[in-house]
Amino acid sequence: MNRYQIPQARRGQVIGLLGGSFDPAHEGHVHITRAALKRFGLDAVWWLVTPANPLKDRGPAPMDMRLKRARDVMDHPRVTVTDIETYTGTRYTAATLDALRALYPDVTFVWLMGADNLAQFHHWQDWRGIMATTPVGVIARPGARWAARNSVAAQTYAHAKLPARASRLLGRHGAPSWCFINVAMSDASSTRIRNAGEWPRA
């Protein structure tokens, strides 16, 4: 693995990770990223553009196209768009987090997700392992608040939930810990963009 092909990080940084196919990236992704930087007190956010989503039968657009689109829409000095999972060879979040901790032992990672993902988080591979090792920041999504707050993951880890007013402590609180924040919401959707014919399908 060529070290220069993966993002750089400094000792002691707290870095948020937003994973997904970004097929395509859109203003909704930008919106929650900016909110996460501020509300969770992050030093940086990395967009992890996945080679393929294990939960989806149909493949995404080519990686080069998705990376370019993501970099075009997310222009921020503290946000890095990366396909690091291409180099780690991992496909599931738990394995990717293990690989990143091995590569960056002096960095704290915070996994970022929309509330819609928290609602079905218990279906993810080794979701308990993720919660046990990685602080999780959850950002409100349209129509998903109730399902997220009543999800298996939320109830199982109710004891580890930080109040929204303490959100900036998330990355320095250790795991398990998670925090749900309400933000002004965007209804932008990759699915809607694809269905409108504004993005090629694989």
Side-chain angles (χ1 to χ4, degrees):
M1 185 185 301
N2 184 339
R3 182 74 187 184
Y4 296 102
Q5 292 177 315
I6 62 177
Q8 299 299 301
R10 297 190 303 276
R11 178 190 299 268
Q13 282 191 310
V14 178
I15 296 176
L17 303 172
L18 185 65
S21 58
F22 294 95
D23 188 33
H26 52 70
E27 288 304 315
H29 296 125
V30 174
H31 177 69
I32 65 171
T33 298
R34 290 180 178 274
L37 277 167
K38 179 179 179 180
R39 296 287 298 278
F40 295 127
L42 305 172
D43 295 304
V45 170
W46 295 353
W47 281 12
L48 307 185
V49 182
T50 59
N53 186 335
L55 299 178
K56 293 183 179 179
D57 295 330
R58 190 169 190 171
M63 175 64 81
D64 288 350
M65 184 180 299
R66 289 183 288 131
L67 286 170
K68 182 181 185 304
R69 164 78 175 219
R71 288 167 179 152
D72 286 345
V73 302
M74 186 72 256
D75 183 14
H76 191 287
R78 291 194 285 139
V79 179
T80 298
V81 175
T82 176
D83 63 339
I84 194 170
E85 286 176 313
T86 300
Y87 303 107
T88 60
T90 53
R91 294 295 179 270
Y92 292 95
T93 299
T96 295
L97 288 169
D98 287 343
L100 290 176
R101 280 190 290 269
L103 286 168
Y104 304 93
D106 300 316
V107 170
T108 297
F109 291 106
V110 172
W111 185 256
L112 304 173
M113 67 168 71
D116 51 335
N117 280 321
L118 182 64
Q120 49 89 45
F121 188 45
H122 58 288
H123 294 302
W124 291 25
Q125 185 180 74
D126 196 21
W127 69 277
R128 291 177 183 271
I130 295 171
M131 291 295 294
T133 58
T134 312
V136 175
V138 183
I139 300 102
R141 288 279 292 154
R145 283 192 179 105
W146 186 91
R149 286 172 170 159
N150 290 277
S151 66
V152 171
Q155 295 187 21
T156 302
Y157 287 92
H159 64 283
K161 184 181 180 183
L162 291 182
R165 65 179 180 275
S167 60
R168 292 182 65 85
L169 302 177
L170 179 63
R172 294 167 175 81
H173 197 268
S177 60
W178 65 284
C179 185
F180 186 106
I181 59 169
N182 285 305
V183 299
M185 287 186 279
S186 165
D187 63 358
S189 161
S190 295
T191 300
R192 188 174 301 137
I193 293 170
R194 292 195 302 271
N195 289 344
E198 299 170 7
W199 182 253
R201 301 184 71 98

